[in-house]
Amino acid sequence: GAGNDTIDLGSGGTDQDTVTYSGDTDAITVDIDGADANVENVTVTQNGDTDTITDVETLVGSASTDSFTITSAGIAALGTNVFDGSAGVDSLTITGNIDFEAADLVDNFKNIESINLSGATPVAADDFIINGDNIFDLIGNVIGGTLEIIAVSGIAFDFSGATTYTNITNNGIVGAYRTQYEFDDGSGNSVFLEIYQPPILGTAGDD
């Protein structure tokens, strides 16, 4: 409900506690605590109200455009926890070093249509690996669906490793600094990746 709520689902045990906002039409913003010991603690903001949730293993978003935020260091600590964007066009923002790949996200994030890496730091000689199978899993198993990645210039991508969506077509520029790739399974089923990668612009001074 409305207001700043605190929900403590209790620590310990092997239970899988779920908090859902799926019946809400107002978007939520979810800040996932990246500390190893506190990865099940999240802060949810909605319409100016803030909910503090402790020891949640599954969080389901609203029917609107939800956003999730986590550091790259927190990804490895997620374990079996699941963050589900539910309906709407939902985004995941990751900060820190890009020392992970899309396969590290697919078990923990569902129904995500956009991944924002614009505040993340590329690791030298370490491409971001993402393939058609990863895209299919992240967007909620939607044939014909699209995943967007927002990335700074300098991040390189590796599309290898798929076992189903193995055929890759570069569909070219589909908007300003936006390139679309199509991944199909050879049977007429496709998923799409759009990479928005604007250049880094200097200032009028000495950069």
Side-chain angles (χ1 to χ4, degrees), residues 5-93:
D5 303 315
T6 299
I7 304 171
D8 188 344
L9 297 170
S11 60
T14 58
D15 57 324
Q16 290 289 315
D17 300 313
T18 299
V19 173
T20 180
Y21 292 79
S22 59
D24 294 358
T25 56
D26 295 320
I28 63 172
T29 299
V30 182
D31 185 11
I32 305 167
D33 192 331
D36 288 358
N38 298 314
V39 74
E40 294 180 354
N41 300 345
V42 298
T43 301
V44 179
T45 305
Q46 183 183 49
N47 285 338
D49 296 328
T50 299
D51 296 339
T52 302
I53 307 174
T54 304
D55 293 304
V56 59
E57 285 79 29
T58 300
L59 189 142
V60 181
S62 73
S64 190
T65 53
D66 305 316
S67 58
F68 300 82
T69 301
I70 192 171
T71 65
S72 58
I75 293 172
L78 286 174
T80 59
N81 297 349
V82 175
F83 297 89
D84 188 335
S86 189
V89 179
D90 306 303
S91 64
L92 169 64
T93 297

Side-chain angles (χ1 to χ4, degrees), residues 150-175:
I150 302 170
V152 296
S153 180
I155 298 178
F157 294 88
D158 181 342
F159 300 143
S160 64
T163 58
T164 301
Y165 290 89
T166 56
N167 302 313
I168 306 170
T169 303
N170 184 342
N171 289 337
I173 304 298
V174 294

